[in-house]
Structures are given as structure tokens and as C-alpha cells.
Amino acid sequence: IVQTRILTKWKMSILATIEYNGRSSQRAQPSHLRLELLLQDSVSEVKSKIHRALSVPANLMRLFCGNFELQDTDSLLNYYSYTNQDVEGRRCLTLQLVM
């Protein structure tokens, strides 16, 4: 509980890499979208940020972190243990987007 309060107080941001398959591509190579997110963001807020970037309706999106599907009411804070640290010391998270 104490850790959660500290993170909330700092508004810790993470760099999220959203992997998805582009619709126009004939090859099934994943495309990537990088977004600056806050750990306090709910999954529905994340989906609206993806919607603004990709123009994909949020109700058609399914987000996964590893084998777990993220629920709209979840907070990214629930997935903190899946973050890595990059060379600049920033926390990074990779999510898979299925449309």
C-alpha cells in the first residue's frame, strides 16, 4: 500500500510499446506505437490514447500484457511487475493490441 501511494504521488510515467498487426500490410509483421503513459492510467484511458493515435475504435481493441488480457477497469499499476528498465533508466512496458 505504501508503494502505491508513493507512485501515485510521483505520477510515474512509463514508455509503452504497443505491438499490433497493421491492417494495410500484406505481411504479418507487427507495427509498433510508442506512448508515454502514467502508471495511474486506467486501461480505458490507455485505449482512448491508442484511439487518438491509430483511429481504431476503443470497443474493438483488446490489450494483452503477456498472456493476460487487460480489463478496462484495471490500472497500469497492476502490471508494474511486467515493466523493464531501459538504458536511460525509464520504466518500459510492452503491450499487445488485438483489433
Side-chain angles (χ1 to χ4, degrees):
I1 297 173
V2 174
Q3 183 182 9
T4 304
R5 282 194 200 126
I6 292 170
L7 292 173
T8 303
K9 189 176 177 182
W10 287 348
K11 294 286 187 192
M12 188 171 179
S13 67
I14 58 171
L15 181 64
T17 300
I18 315 294
E19 297 177 343
Y20 64 99
N21 286 329
R23 287 175 281 181
S24 59
S25 171
Q26 290 184 356
R27 284 178 257 143
Q29 292 182 338
S31 298
H32 296 83
L33 169 68
R34 293 197 188 279
L35 288 176
E36 187 84 28
L37 301 173
L38 295 175
L39 276 175
Q40 293 75 20
D41 285 349
S42 68
V43 172
S44 59
E45 289 171 316
V46 172
K47 285 182 176 181
S48 68
K49 290 178 182 181
I50 295 171
H51 165 70
R52 286 194 292 276
L54 299 178
S55 298
V56 175
N59 63 336
L60 297 181
M61 292 182 208
R62 293 176 68 196
L63 279 176
F64 292 86
C65 182
N67 294 327
F68 300 102
E69 183 169 2
L70 282 64
Q71 302 304 311
D72 286 349
T73 54
D74 282 349
S75 162
L76 287 183
L77 195 54
N78 296 359
Y79 300 92
Y80 183 78
S81 61
Y82 293 93
T83 63
N84 308 342
Q85 199 165 16
D86 69 8
V87 290
E88 297 171 5
R90 297 182 53 170
R91 299 308 299 179
C92 301
L93 179 67
T94 300
L95 300 174
Q96 292 76 38
L97 172 64
V98 177
M99 298 179 265

